[in-house]
Structure formats: C-alpha cells, structure tokens
C-alpha cells in the first residue's frame, strides 16, 4: 500500500519522489448524498515522465514509447474516483500509477524463435484430414435409381 506524501517505489531502479507528483482534487461524478456537493474526493495524479530527473536515462525511451497513447506533453495522468473518501482515492491513484509504470518499464519479451512443425505432427494432421474426409464421404447419399 502506498501512502500519500511518500515516495513511490516502482522498481529497484525507479523510485519517484513525492515532490515530483502533482495531485488535483475535484468533485466526483455520479449520485451522492448530503456531502456530494461539498467534498472534492476525485483525485487526478500527474507525473512528468519526459522531464523527471528520477527516471533513468536508459529507461525513459521505453516508458515514453509504451505510454505514448496515455501521455499529454510527456505527462501521465491517473484519475481515481471510485471511493467516497479522498484519501482512499489518493491511495488508489498512486497504486494505479505504480502498476502502469511497472508494466511500461518491464523489459521487452525475448524474441520469438521461428519453429517448424515436426514430421510426425504433419503426418498426424494429414491423417486426421483424411479421416474427416472419409466420414463426410460416407454421409453422401447414394442414388442407385
């Protein structure tokens, strides 16, 4: 669990200081009770991926590439409004930010080594096709008139 006001530990190499995070609060949408018009429980958490000094230089291009559809001028914004309490939304936004950055910072998968089906697999496939054709041929109507 990440508490508001503390640094975010994304990975061993990437720790985001709390000073680099920006929070904005607004009213949540949807139905509410007596406190709906007075509480600003929705949280928008922003982090400048492109210009942050805490992002390692070799990791920055990967983050920018993988998050390019979510970035506006290099800034990643996460909104949380699923909880009624502002503190719970702040924690949810921070946890979601960590999850997004962790997924984007993950190393690329190893390249696929192309393989060919084995001779036995080819023979089994052709034998199954032959059996299926024989079944269908056996269903044909014979008109001996």
């Amino acid at each position: 669990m990440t508490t508001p006001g503390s640094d975010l530990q994304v990975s061993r190499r990437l720790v985001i200081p709390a000073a680099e995070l920006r929070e904005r609060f607004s009213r949540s949408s949807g139905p509410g009770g007596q406190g709906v018009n007075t509480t600003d429980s929705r949280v928008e958490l922003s982090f400048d991926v492109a210009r942050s000094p805490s992002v390692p230089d070799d990791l920055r291009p990967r983050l920018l590439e993988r998050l390019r559809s979510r970035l506006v001028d290099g800034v990643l914004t996460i909104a949380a409004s699923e909880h009624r309490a502002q503190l719970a939304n702040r924690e949810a936004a921070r946890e979601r930010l960590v999850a997004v950055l962790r997924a984007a910072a993950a190393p690329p998968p190893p390249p696929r080594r192309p393989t060919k089906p084995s001779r036995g697999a080819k023979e089994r496939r052709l034998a199954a096709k032959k059996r299926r054709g024989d079944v269908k041929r056996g269903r044909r109507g014979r008109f001996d008139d």
Side-chain angles (χ1 to χ4, degrees), residues 28-88:
S28 291
S29 62
Q34 293 173 332
V36 73
N37 293 326
T38 59
T39 57
D40 291 339
S41 59
R42 182 175 186 267
V43 177
E44 283 185 11
L45 184 64
S46 299
F47 173 61
D48 193 345
V49 178
R51 290 173 281 285
S52 171
S54 60
V55 176
D57 290 333
D58 59 322
L59 190 60
R60 190 182 319 274
R62 185 187 308 164
L63 290 175
L64 292 174
E65 173 64 26
R66 290 185 178 173
L67 296 172
R68 72 176 175 270
S69 63
R70 298 188 67 162
L71 297 178
V72 177
D73 293 331
V75 177
L76 175 64
T77 302
I78 305 287
S81 62
E82 59 267 16
H83 301 286
R84 287 181 57 170
Q86 185 188 87
L87 186 62

Side-chain angles (χ1 to χ4, degrees), residues 117-130:
S118 66
R119 183 173 158 199
K122 288 181 189 175
E123 290 173 359
R124 285 190 298 273
R125 181 181 64 86
L126 293 175
K129 285 169 68 81
K130 181 81 173 144

Side-chain angles (χ1 to χ4, degrees), residues 5-22:
S6 64
D7 295 348
L8 284 182
Q9 178 86 31
V10 177
S11 66
R12 284 183 301 146
R13 296 182 55 212
L14 180 56
V15 178
I16 302 170
E20 291 187 29
L21 299 173
R22 298 283 170 254

